[in-house]
């Protein structure tokens, strides 16, 4: 009411809500980008791909164990 009495119109108007909502939208967007990016790194690891192939039946249990051992020990 003071802004109206002093001749400055109706105060802040829609800007009062715009800036907080703008920053909330920015923070949510950045959070979603990091969340999405983190999932891709874990799913592309060698162990994850190997486990997925074993789960689909593409390799046998013996092959799975041998390849998992190689992944854990590293190159010779």
């Amino acid at each position: 009411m003071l802004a109206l009495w002093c001749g400055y119109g109706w105060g802040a108007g829609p800007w009062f809500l715009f800036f907080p909502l703008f920053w909330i939208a920015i923070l949510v967007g950045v959070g979603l980008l990091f969340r999405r990016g983190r999932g891709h790194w874990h799913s592309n690891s060698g162990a994850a791909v190997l486990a997925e192939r074993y789960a689909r039946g593409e390799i046998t249990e013996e092959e799975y164990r041998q390849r998992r051992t190689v992944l854990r020990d590293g190159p010779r």
Side-chain angles (χ1 to χ4, degrees):
M1 292 298 285
L2 182 60
L4 182 61
W5 291 341
C6 294
Y8 293 112
W10 290 98
W15 298 107
F16 178 75
L17 293 175
F18 176 74
F19 285 113
L21 293 176
F22 172 76
W23 286 112
I24 289 171
I26 294 292
L27 292 174
V28 168
V30 168
L32 289 175
L33 285 175
F34 278 115
R35 183 177 176 192
R36 180 179 293 172
R38 185 177 61 225
H40 289 299
W41 291 338
H42 292 300
S43 66
N44 289 335
S45 71
V49 172
L50 184 62
E52 188 175 319
R53 289 186 65 199
Y54 175 66
R56 285 187 292 207
E58 294 179 5
I59 57 175
T60 64
E61 183 178 353
E62 182 180 334
E63 285 178 300
Y64 172 74
R65 291 182 188 275
Q66 288 173 350
R67 293 179 185 194
R68 186 181 64 183
T69 303
V70 170
L71 283 174
R72 286 182 182 167
D73 295 342
R76 295 179 187 219

